[in-house]
Amino acid sequence: MSGVMKRMGMIFRAKANKALDRAEDPRETLDYSYQKQLELLQKVRRGVADVATSRKRLELQLNQLQSQSTKLEDQGRKALALGREDLAREALSRRAALQQQVTDLETQHATLQGEEEKLTLAAQRLQAKVDAFRTKKETIKATYTAAQAQTRIGEAFSGISEEMGDVGLAIQRAEDKTAQLQARAGAIDELLASGALEDPSGMHKDDLQAELDRLSGGTDVELELQRMKAELAGGGSSAGQQALEGGTSQQQSQQQPQDTPRFDKQ
């Protein structure tokens, strides 16, 4: 049972990996990686700003402590000038305590300043890497888009794309159906001509009847031609004489008005 479950898990992971690989777009992955790098750069910059703020706060505290230390030193001098040694000792004791605080703050200030310099340098390096990645990202995206378009054009020309494949299959089916109909029509004509099938409309004639009709039609034409030749041979001279007489009488009728005398009126 455990072996079956392992096999099912392997099959599921393989199919899921294939589906993810099909759905993955490298351009989207690059954009996502660039967005994550920008977020990291923003965090580093925010860290630099926080360290700089802490350093500035320590500087303000140091200035205040130094001002207080200077004030206590002045008070001790005045106390000694007035003969109050006890007050001068008290002022110097307070000043010594402040000096210890100033030393501690100066140590913290130096540490923060070093951290700030490190973070600033890291932010600059990260900024350079992000800029370089952005340039490379855009180059890869442009190359991928061009390769994708070139692949689609090549598939379209070669006919192996899904869309062109559907068009090719449709054309092939249309050609197959046309050839099938032409073959069926030719077969029916041959069967009708051979007499294997009867034409219920009576319009189609078999080859024997067609040949008889052709021969009879040719015979009628020959008979009509012989008849016309006989008429021309038998009545050719009489027809020529009639045409000659007709022409002579017509010439006389045209000349008669010219020979008629004219009488002028007195």
Side-chain angles (χ1 to χ4, degrees):
M1 187 65 183
S2 61
V4 174
M5 295 300 295
K6 289 181 180 179
R7 186 177 178 183
M8 291 178 61
M10 183 180 296
I11 293 173
F12 176 77
R13 288 192 296 271
K15 290 186 176 297
N17 187 26
K18 186 176 181 180
L20 289 174
D21 185 67
R22 188 184 302 110
E24 183 182 6
D25 190 345
R27 294 168 295 185
E28 295 177 354
T29 304
L30 290 173
D31 290 336
Y32 180 77
S33 300
Y34 178 68
Q35 185 65 32
K36 286 298 181 182
Q37 291 184 11
L38 289 179
E39 292 177 0
L40 178 61
L41 179 61
Q42 186 65 26
K43 289 181 180 179
V44 173
R45 289 175 175 175
R46 191 179 296 113
V48 174
D50 293 339
V51 172
T53 302
S54 299
R55 177 183 58 78
K56 191 65 177 177
R57 188 181 298 114
L58 287 178
E59 290 178 355
L60 294 176
Q61 291 178 2
L62 282 172
N63 292 331
Q64 291 177 358
L65 290 176
Q66 289 174 357
S67 297
Q68 292 178 5
S69 177
T70 302
K71 182 178 180 180
L72 289 172
E73 184 178 1
D74 293 339
Q75 289 177 352
R77 285 195 181 94
K78 290 180 180 180
L80 287 176
L82 295 174
R84 296 291 304 271
E85 186 177 350
D86 55 341
L87 292 178
R89 186 178 292 106
E90 180 66 22
L92 292 177
S93 299
R94 292 181 180 180
R95 181 176 180 276
L98 288 178
Q99 283 299 119
Q100 184 61 38
Q101 294 181 12
V102 168
T103 303
D104 295 338
L105 288 178
E106 287 178 348
T107 303
Q108 295 180 9
H109 180 270
T111 303
L112 288 176
Q113 191 171 6
E115 292 294 331
E116 181 181 358
E117 291 176 356
K118 291 180 181 179
L119 287 176
T120 301
L121 182 60
Q124 292 175 354
R125 291 178 178 177
L126 184 58
Q127 179 67 54
K129 289 183 178 181
V130 170
D131 294 339
F133 179 80
R134 180 181 61 185
T135 303
K136 188 175 182 180
K137 172 181 72 73
E138 295 299 330
T139 303
I140 294 175
K141 287 175 62 177
T143 305
Y144 179 83
T145 303
Q148 188 180 39
Q150 186 176 2
T151 302
R152 289 179 178 177
I153 293 173
E155 290 178 351
F157 276 113
S158 60
I160 62 176
S161 64
E162 185 176 356
E163 294 81 1
M164 296 303 296
D166 295 339
V167 174
L169 290 176
I171 294 175
Q172 185 65 37
R173 288 194 299 269
E175 291 178 350
D176 293 341
K177 289 184 177 180
T178 302
Q180 183 178 2
L181 290 175
Q182 290 176 349
R184 184 176 178 84
I188 292 175
D189 290 339
E190 291 179 359
L191 292 174
L192 289 173
S194 63
L197 293 179
E198 294 183 358
D199 186 5
S201 63
M203 298 298 293
H204 184 78
K205 298 180 181 181
D206 57 7
D207 55 349
L208 183 58
Q209 184 63 36
E211 184 66 19
L212 291 175
D213 292 342
R214 186 182 65 80
L215 292 175
S216 62
T219 304
D220 293 340
V221 171
E222 291 295 331
L223 292 176
E224 182 68 18
L225 182 61
Q226 294 295 331
R227 185 181 63 79
M228 293 177 65
K229 286 181 179 181
E231 290 179 356
L232 290 175
S237 59
S238 59
Q241 184 66 27
Q242 290 177 1
L244 183 59
E245 292 177 356
T248 304
S249 60
Q250 184 178 2
Q251 184 178 2
Q252 291 177 357
S253 62
Q254 291 178 355
Q255 294 177 355
Q256 183 175 1
Q258 297 178 359
D259 299 334
T260 304
R262 296 181 180 179
F263 297 94
D264 297 332
K265 292 183 181 180
Q266 297 293 330

Coordinates of all heavy atoms in Angstrom, one line a residue, residues 97-149:
A97 N 30.6 62.1 37.2 CA 29.5 61.1 36.8 C 29.0 61.4 35.4 O 28.8 60.5 34.6 CB 28.4 61.2 37.8
L98 N 28.9 62.7 35.0 CA 28.5 63.0 33.7 C 29.5 62.6 32.6 O 29.2 62.2 31.5 CB 28.3 64.5 33.6 CG 27.0 65.0 34.3 CD1 26.9 66.6 34.2 CD2 25.7 64.4 33.7
Q99 N 30.8 62.7 33.0 CA 31.9 62.3 32.1 C 31.8 60.8 31.8 O 32.1 60.4 30.6 CB 33.2 62.7 32.7 CG 33.6 64.2 32.6 CD 33.6 64.7 31.1 OE1 32.8 65.5 30.8 NE2 34.5 64.1 30.3
Q100 N 31.4 60.0 32.8 CA 31.3 58.6 32.5 C 30.2 58.3 31.5 O 30.3 57.5 30.6 CB 31.0 57.9 33.9 CG 31.0 56.4 33.7 CD 32.3 55.7 33.3 OE1 33.4 56.2 33.6 NE2 32.1 54.7 32.4
Q101 N 29.1 59.1 31.7 CA 28.0 58.9 30.7 C 28.4 59.4 29.3 O 28.0 58.7 28.3 CB 26.8 59.7 31.2 CG 26.1 59.2 32.5 CD 24.9 60.0 32.9 OE1 24.4 60.8 32.2 NE2 24.5 59.8 34.2
V102 N 29.1 60.4 29.3 CA 29.6 60.9 28.0 C 30.5 59.9 27.3 O 30.4 59.7 26.1 CB 30.4 62.3 28.2 CG1 31.1 62.6 26.9 CG2 29.4 63.4 28.6
T103 N 31.3 59.2 28.1 CA 32.2 58.2 27.5 C 31.4 57.0 27.0 O 31.7 56.5 25.8 CB 33.2 57.7 28.6 OG1 34.0 58.8 29.1 CG2 34.1 56.7 28.0
D104 N 30.4 56.6 27.7 CA 29.6 55.5 27.2 C 28.8 55.9 26.0 O 28.7 55.1 25.0 CB 28.6 55.1 28.3 CG 29.3 54.5 29.6 OD1 30.4 54.0 29.4 OD2 28.7 54.5 30.7
L105 N 28.3 57.1 26.0 CA 27.5 57.6 24.8 C 28.4 57.7 23.6 O 28.1 57.4 22.4 CB 26.8 58.9 25.1 CG 25.6 58.8 26.0 CD1 25.0 60.2 26.3 CD2 24.5 57.9 25.4
E106 N 29.7 58.2 23.8 CA 30.6 58.3 22.7 C 30.9 56.9 22.1 O 31.1 56.8 20.9 CB 31.9 59.0 23.1 CG 31.7 60.5 23.4 CD 33.0 61.1 23.9 OE1 33.9 60.4 24.2 OE2 33.0 62.4 23.9
T107 N 31.0 55.9 23.0 CA 31.3 54.5 22.5 C 30.1 54.0 21.6 O 30.3 53.5 20.5 CB 31.5 53.6 23.7 OG1 32.6 54.1 24.5 CG2 31.8 52.2 23.2
Q108 N 28.9 54.3 22.2 CA 27.7 53.9 21.4 C 27.6 54.6 20.1 O 27.2 54.1 19.0 CB 26.4 54.1 22.2 CG 26.4 53.2 23.5 CD 25.1 53.5 24.3 OE1 24.2 54.2 23.8 NE2 25.0 52.9 25.5
H109 N 28.0 55.9 20.1 CA 27.9 56.7 18.9 C 28.9 56.2 17.8 O 28.5 56.2 16.7 CB 28.3 58.2 19.3 CG 28.2 59.1 18.1 ND1 29.3 59.3 17.3 CD2 27.2 59.8 17.6 CE1 29.0 60.2 16.3 NE2 27.7 60.5 16.5
A110 N 30.1 55.8 18.3 CA 31.1 55.3 17.3 C 30.6 54.0 16.7 O 30.7 53.7 15.5 CB 32.4 55.1 18.0
T111 N 29.9 53.1 17.6 CA 29.4 51.9 17.1 C 28.3 52.1 16.1 O 28.3 51.5 15.0 CB 28.9 51.0 18.2 OG1 29.9 50.8 19.2 CG2 28.3 49.7 17.7
L112 N 27.4 53.0 16.4 CA 26.3 53.3 15.4 C 26.8 53.9 14.2 O 26.3 53.6 13.1 CB 25.3 54.2 16.1 CG 24.4 53.6 17.2 CD1 23.5 54.7 17.8 CD2 23.5 52.5 16.6
Q113 N 27.8 54.8 14.3 CA 28.3 55.4 13.1 C 29.0 54.3 12.2 O 28.8 54.4 10.9 CB 29.4 56.4 13.5 CG 29.8 57.3 12.3 CD 30.7 58.5 12.8 OE1 31.0 58.6 14.0 NE2 31.0 59.3 11.9
G114 N 29.7 53.3 12.8 CA 30.2 52.2 12.0 C 29.1 51.4 11.3 O 29.2 51.0 10.1
E115 N 28.1 51.1 12.0 CA 26.9 50.4 11.5 C 26.3 51.1 10.3 O 25.9 50.6 9.3 CB 25.9 50.0 12.5 CG 26.4 49.0 13.6 CD 26.6 47.7 13.0 OE1 26.0 47.3 12.0 OE2 27.5 47.0 13.5
E116 N 26.2 52.4 10.5 CA 25.6 53.2 9.5 C 26.4 53.2 8.2 O 25.9 53.1 7.1 CB 25.4 54.7 10.0 CG 24.7 55.6 9.0 CD 24.6 57.0 9.6 OE1 25.0 57.3 10.7 OE2 24.1 57.9 8.8
E117 N 27.7 53.3 8.4 CA 28.6 53.3 7.2 C 28.5 51.9 6.5 O 28.4 51.9 5.2 CB 30.0 53.6 7.6 CG 30.2 55.0 8.1 CD 31.6 55.2 8.6 OE1 32.4 54.2 8.7 OE2 32.0 56.3 9.0
K118 N 28.4 50.8 7.3 CA 28.3 49.5 6.6 C 27.0 49.4 5.9 O 26.9 48.9 4.8 CB 28.4 48.4 7.7 CG 29.8 48.3 8.3 CD 29.8 47.2 9.4 CE 31.2 47.0 10.0 NZ 31.2 46.0 11.1
L119 N 25.9 49.8 6.5 CA 24.6 49.7 5.9 C 24.5 50.6 4.7 O 23.9 50.2 3.6 CB 23.5 50.1 6.9 CG 23.2 49.1 8.0 CD1 22.1 49.6 9.0 CD2 22.7 47.7 7.4
T120 N 25.1 51.8 4.7 CA 25.1 52.7 3.6 C 25.8 52.0 2.4 O 25.4 52.1 1.2 CB 25.7 54.0 3.9 OG1 25.0 54.6 5.0 CG2 25.7 55.0 2.7
L121 N 27.0 51.4 2.7 CA 27.8 50.8 1.6 C 27.0 49.6 1.1 O 27.0 49.4 -0.1 CB 29.1 50.3 2.2 CG 30.1 49.6 1.2 CD1 30.4 50.6 0.1 CD2 31.3 49.2 1.9
A122 N 26.3 48.8 2.0 CA 25.5 47.7 1.5 C 24.3 48.1 0.7 O 24.0 47.5 -0.4 CB 25.0 46.9 2.7
A123 N 23.7 49.2 1.0 CA 22.6 49.8 0.3 C 23.1 50.2 -1.1 O 22.4 50.0 -2.1 CB 22.0 50.9 1.0
Q124 N 24.3 50.8 -1.2 CA 24.8 51.3 -2.5 C 25.1 50.1 -3.4 O 24.8 50.1 -4.6 CB 26.1 52.1 -2.3 CG 25.8 53.4 -1.6 CD 27.1 54.2 -1.3 OE1 28.2 53.7 -1.5 NE2 26.9 55.4 -0.8
R125 N 25.7 49.0 -2.8 CA 26.0 47.8 -3.6 C 24.7 47.1 -4.0 O 24.6 46.7 -5.2 CB 26.8 46.8 -2.7 CG 28.3 47.3 -2.5 CD 29.0 46.4 -1.6 NE 30.4 46.8 -1.3 CZ 31.2 46.1 -0.6 NH1 30.9 45.0 0.1 NH2 32.5 46.6 -0.4
L126 N 23.8 47.1 -3.1 CA 22.5 46.4 -3.5 C 21.8 47.2 -4.6 O 21.1 46.7 -5.5 CB 21.6 46.3 -2.2 CG 20.2 45.6 -2.5 CD1 20.4 44.2 -3.0 CD2 19.5 45.6 -1.1
Q127 N 21.9 48.6 -4.5 CA 21.3 49.4 -5.5 C 21.9 49.2 -6.9 O 21.2 49.1 -7.9 CB 21.4 50.9 -5.1 CG 20.9 51.9 -6.1 CD 19.4 51.8 -6.2 OE1 18.7 51.9 -5.2 NE2 18.8 51.6 -7.4
A128 N 23.2 49.0 -6.9 CA 23.9 48.7 -8.1 C 23.5 47.3 -8.7 O 23.3 47.2 -9.9 CB 25.4 48.7 -7.9
K129 N 23.3 46.3 -7.8 CA 22.9 45.0 -8.3 C 21.5 45.1 -8.8 O 21.1 44.4 -9.8 CB 23.0 44.0 -7.1 CG 24.4 43.7 -6.7 CD 24.4 42.6 -5.6 CE 25.9 42.2 -5.3 NZ 25.9 41.2 -4.2
V130 N 20.6 45.8 -8.1 CA 19.2 45.9 -8.6 C 19.1 46.6 -9.9 O 18.4 46.2 -10.8 CB 18.4 46.7 -7.5 CG1 17.0 47.0 -8.1 CG2 18.3 45.9 -6.2
D131 N 20.0 47.7 -10.1 CA 20.0 48.3 -11.4 C 20.5 47.4 -12.5 O 19.9 47.3 -13.6 CB 20.9 49.6 -11.3 CG 20.3 50.6 -10.4 OD1 19.0 50.6 -10.2 OD2 21.0 51.5 -10.0
A132 N 21.5 46.6 -12.2 CA 22.1 45.7 -13.2 C 21.0 44.6 -13.5 O 20.8 44.2 -14.7 CB 23.4 45.1 -12.7
F133 N 20.3 44.1 -12.4 CA 19.3 43.1 -12.7 C 18.2 43.6 -13.5 O 17.6 42.9 -14.3 CB 18.8 42.6 -11.3 CG 17.7 41.5 -11.4 CD1 18.1 40.2 -11.7 CD2 16.4 41.9 -11.3 CE1 17.1 39.2 -11.8 CE2 15.4 40.9 -11.4 CZ 15.8 39.6 -11.7
R134 N 17.8 44.9 -13.3 CA 16.7 45.5 -14.0 C 17.1 45.5 -15.5 O 16.3 45.2 -16.4 CB 16.4 46.9 -13.5 CG 15.3 47.6 -14.3 CD 15.0 48.9 -13.8 NE 16.2 49.8 -13.9 CZ 16.4 51.0 -13.4 NH1 15.3 51.6 -12.8 NH2 17.5 51.7 -13.6
T135 N 18.3 46.0 -15.8 CA 18.8 46.0 -17.2 C 18.8 44.6 -17.8 O 18.3 44.4 -19.0 CB 20.2 46.6 -17.3 OG1 20.2 47.9 -16.7 CG2 20.7 46.7 -18.7
K136 N 19.3 43.6 -17.1 CA 19.3 42.3 -17.6 C 17.9 41.7 -17.8 O 17.6 41.0 -18.7 CB 20.2 41.4 -16.7 CG 20.4 40.0 -17.2 CD 21.3 39.2 -16.3 CE 21.6 37.8 -16.8 NZ 22.5 37.1 -15.9
K137 N 17.1 42.1 -16.8 CA 15.7 41.6 -16.9 C 15.0 42.1 -18.1 O 14.3 41.3 -18.8 CB 14.9 42.1 -15.6 CG 13.4 41.8 -15.7 CD 12.8 42.4 -14.4 CE 12.7 43.9 -14.4 NZ 11.7 44.4 -15.4
E138 N 15.1 43.4 -18.4 CA 14.5 43.9 -19.6 C 15.1 43.3 -20.9 O 14.4 43.0 -21.9 CB 14.7 45.4 -19.6 CG 14.0 46.1 -18.5 CD 12.4 45.9 -18.5 OE1 11.9 45.7 -19.6 OE2 11.8 45.9 -17.5
T139 N 16.4 43.0 -20.9 CA 17.0 42.4 -22.0 C 16.5 41.0 -22.3 O 16.1 40.6 -23.4 CB 18.5 42.4 -21.9 OG1 19.0 43.7 -21.7 CG2 19.2 41.8 -23.1
I140 N 16.4 40.2 -21.2 CA 15.9 38.9 -21.3 C 14.4 38.9 -21.7 O 14.0 38.0 -22.5 CB 16.0 38.1 -19.9 CG1 17.5 38.0 -19.6 CG2 15.3 36.8 -19.9 CD1 17.8 37.4 -18.2
K141 N 13.6 39.8 -21.2 CA 12.2 39.8 -21.5 C 12.1 40.2 -23.0 O 11.2 39.6 -23.7 CB 11.5 40.9 -20.7 CG 11.3 40.5 -19.3 CD 10.6 41.6 -18.4 CE 9.3 42.0 -19.0 NZ 8.7 43.1 -18.1
A142 N 12.9 41.1 -23.5 CA 12.8 41.5 -24.9 C 13.2 40.3 -25.8 O 12.6 40.0 -26.8 CB 13.7 42.7 -25.2
T143 N 14.3 39.6 -25.4 CA 14.8 38.5 -26.2 C 13.7 37.4 -26.1 O 13.5 36.7 -27.2 CB 16.1 38.0 -25.6 OG1 17.0 39.0 -25.5 CG2 16.6 36.8 -26.4
Y144 N 13.1 37.1 -25.0 CA 12.1 36.1 -24.9 C 10.9 36.4 -25.8 O 10.3 35.5 -26.4 CB 11.7 35.9 -23.4 CG 10.6 34.9 -23.2 CD1 10.9 33.5 -23.1 CD2 9.3 35.2 -23.1 CE1 9.9 32.6 -22.9 CE2 8.3 34.3 -22.9 CZ 8.6 33.0 -22.8 OH 7.7 32.0 -22.6
T145 N 10.4 37.7 -25.7 CA 9.3 38.1 -26.5 C 9.6 37.9 -28.0 O 8.7 37.4 -28.8 CB 8.9 39.5 -26.2 OG1 8.7 39.7 -24.8 CG2 7.7 40.0 -27.0
A146 N 10.8 38.3 -28.4 CA 11.2 38.2 -29.8 C 11.2 36.7 -30.2 O 10.8 36.3 -31.3 CB 12.5 38.9 -30.1
A147 N 11.8 35.9 -29.4 CA 11.9 34.5 -29.7 C 10.5 33.8 -29.7 O 10.2 33.0 -30.6 CB 12.8 33.7 -28.6
Q148 N 9.6 34.3 -28.8 CA 8.3 33.7 -28.9 C 7.5 34.1 -30.1 O 6.9 33.3 -30.8 CB 7.5 34.3 -27.6 CG 6.1 33.6 -27.4 CD 5.4 34.2 -26.2 OE1 5.5 35.4 -25.9 NE2 4.7 33.4 -25.5
A149 N 7.7 35.4 -30.5 CA 7.0 35.8 -31.8 C 7.6 35.1 -33.0 O 6.9 34.7 -33.9 CB 7.2 37.3 -32.0

